[in-house]
Amino acid sequence: MWGAIERLGRDGRTGGYLRDAWSPADLELREWFRQEAARRGLDLREDRNGNLWAWRGDPSRRPGVVTGSHLDSVRQGGAFDGPLGIVSAFAALDLLDARGFRPDRPLGIACFTDEEGARFGVPCTGSRLLTGVLDPDRARGLTDDDGSSLADVLRRAGRDPGALGRDDETLGHVGVFVELHVEQGRGLVHAGAPVGVASAIWPHGRWRFDFRGRADHAGTTRLEDRDDPMLPFARTVLQAREAARRRGVVATFGRLRVSPGSANAIPGLVTAWLDARGGDTGAVRALVAELAESSGAEVGEESWTPAVDFDAALRDRLASAAGAAVAAARSAAHRTAAGPHPEDVRDTVSEAPAGPVPVLPTGAGHDAGILAAAGVPSAMVFVRNPTGISHSPEEHAEASDCHLGVAALAATLEELCRS
Ligand SMILES: [Zn+2]
């Protein structure tokens, strides 16, 4: 499966991925998802918001156990963020099938649309629309860099933008959701563990800052006659860093649009997007208020995701199930030289055995967090990332850790199907 998708949307120059929602690469990935579902005889549905669901069993009879993630990427992103969760979902299903496991609950694999928000600026669009926290009128009016609205883009992809919005029927099919994801940090490296479980997602948001000035000639306009919005923007970037350090949170200006955007013109408008997150909601809010006040920019909140604390009992059950599965997979690989990936596992067998896997918080937002906030019991399984780097072509996970992640995910699904 990995071989089938790794070339899709990859920039041959940088090795980074360009998988904007509804781009040709995204549409190819969605088609690949359909084929993987069909190959396993799963019932494929696309909901009103463009999310894909591959079901075994009928979730309208009884809400199912669902796993999955997303296939879109940030611009110049890595291969693992999102697709690892989808590939592992299909692989975990195959593992359960090979064991002859027959769940008495429907089992689903979900692919959420536009998790990263790379194209239209709002992350987790698919799950936010599904759960009703994103207003469909606002969603339809979001525009990409070419000025195309989400409504236009959906129409061109043969979808009905009028159908967007809260979808209780689809949401009602999800009894419990587990998302496997590459870790976006080095918590598991420090713990010496290949797999972990999420405790919480930090509150986080995106804000748009519009700095207005007056466009003019870069050569003929005297310095004292200029109204250059790049200057307050630059001061705000430095202040964001200082304020984040002071308040114990993180803040990033990672996206910038300059108008008219010529090397020989003083800008008339600088639009920049601030991403701010932290363990403490009040500190994040205070940072944004401070920057809004002193920047002189018009500031609009594009998204806000409150803190998510995953259900502790569910999390602990899954940490135990995952821990047992990881220990079993390692000792099986250790025992038999004819095991599936003995060379991959050799370097990990000496690490701490058995017991629950580590439980750790994350600063990254996920569809699992959106579902949890909407009242769906949700959990996350993380796979170790040796460098911790993410949203970059450097993002990585070792094959042996990915296989242990699949084993852990299969065990969590089995555990959930029993309840
Ligand atoms: Zn992701």
Side-chain angles (χ1 to χ4, degrees):
M1 283 187 277
W2 203 249
I5 59 170
E6 67 182 345
R7 65 186 173 79
L8 299 178
R10 186 164 59 193
D11 180 339
R13 218 165 23 84
T14 62
Y17 284 89
L18 298 165
R19 291 169 169 172
D20 274 13
W22 305 107
S23 66
D26 188 43
L27 293 172
E28 268 192 89
L29 286 159
R30 297 168 69 91
E31 181 53 33
W32 167 84
F33 184 92
R34 269 173 208 280
Q35 286 168 10
E36 291 299 321
R39 196 205 303 266
R40 290 167 180 82
L42 306 179
D43 174 20
L44 191 104
R45 306 173 184 193
E46 180 170 321
D47 69 22
R48 296 197 273 109
N49 298 299
N51 305 306
L52 298 171
W53 305 84
W55 283 104
R56 173 171 294 161
D58 180 1
S60 57
R61 290 163 172 266
R62 187 188 171 193
V65 173
V66 182
T67 185
S69 191
H70 61 94
L71 289 170
D72 67 305
S73 75
V74 296
R75 293 188 179 158
Q76 297 296 343
F80 294 82
D81 179 350
L84 183 63
I86 303 259
V87 167
S88 298
F90 284 118
L93 189 66
D94 293 345
L95 201 57
L96 292 175
D97 283 345
R99 279 189 211 145
F101 177 69
R102 294 271 170 276
D104 50 11
R105 284 184 79 169
L107 206 53
I109 297 179
C111 172
F112 288 101
T113 296
D114 199 1
E115 195 273 346
E116 300 288 3
R119 183 169 185 177
F120 297 101
V122 176
C124 298
T125 308
S127 56
R128 282 182 210 268
L129 282 165
L130 169 70
T131 55
V133 294
L134 174 59
D135 176 62
D137 281 330
R138 183 174 164 228
R140 282 186 280 267
L142 294 170
T143 53
D144 65 13
D145 289 344
D146 298 332
S148 298
S149 68
L150 176 58
D152 296 338
V153 167
L154 286 174
R155 248 180 251 117
R156 286 202 290 270
R159 269 67 172 187
D160 173 16
L164 295 183
R166 187 181 165 99
D167 182 350
D168 286 313
E169 189 188 344
T170 299
L171 200 55
H173 294 162
V174 187
V176 58
F177 179 63
V178 184
E179 179 169 3
L180 179 143
H181 207 279
V182 67
E183 197 195 358
Q184 298 168 291
R186 300 186 77 235
L188 290 172
V189 172
H190 294 308
V195 173
V197 169
S199 58
I201 296 179
W202 282 359
H204 56 279
R206 285 185 195 181
W207 292 265
R208 174 181 165 143
F209 283 59
D210 284 308
F211 296 86
R212 293 183 193 282
R214 194 178 59 249
D216 212 331
H217 195 288
T220 59
T221 316
R222 297 189 315 157
L223 289 177
E224 51 270 36
D225 292 340
R226 296 179 181 205
D227 181 5
D228 182 351
M230 193 62 89
L231 302 182
F233 166 65
R235 277 193 292 273
T236 305
V237 173
L238 297 175
Q239 189 190 348
R241 174 60 178 262
E242 190 280 318
R245 189 195 49 71
R246 175 164 31 86
R247 295 179 183 279
V249 300
V250 292
T252 310
F253 280 102
R255 183 166 184 228
L256 179 64
R257 204 156 63 197
V258 181
S259 173
S262 302
N264 58 2
I266 298 161
L269 173 65
V270 171
T271 301
W273 282 265
L274 172 75
D275 177 304
R277 316 169 185 226
D280 175 21
T281 300
V284 176
R285 287 293 192 190
L287 169 114
V288 175
E290 177 186 333
L291 296 181
E293 166 85 30
S294 60
S295 64
E298 287 161 37
V299 179
E301 182 171 292
E302 294 212 326
S303 67
W304 170 253
T305 308
V308 172
D309 287 309
F310 289 111
D311 180 83
L314 176 62
R315 172 196 86 193
D316 291 345
R317 260 170 67 209
L318 298 190
S320 295
V326 167
R330 279 171 159 178
S331 68
H334 196 51
R335 265 198 317 277
T336 164
H341 305 283
E343 72 288 352
D344 291 336
V345 177
R346 194 186 305 135
D347 62 337
T348 60
V349 289
S350 59
E351 292 177 35
V357 298
V359 173
L360 57 170
T362 176
H366 299 284
D367 295 305
I370 304 292
L371 294 193
V376 177
S378 300
M380 293 194 73
V381 173
F382 291 128
V383 172
R384 175 165 53 190
N385 175 345
T387 62
I389 293 174
S390 184
H391 285 183
S392 148
E394 304 289 305
E395 183 181 275
H396 186 66
E398 296 295 336
S400 54
D401 285 357
C402 294
H403 292 131
L404 294 172
V406 170
L409 181 62
T412 64
L413 295 174
E414 209 173 333
E415 168 76 20
L416 293 169
C417 281
R418 289 211 182 86
S419 52

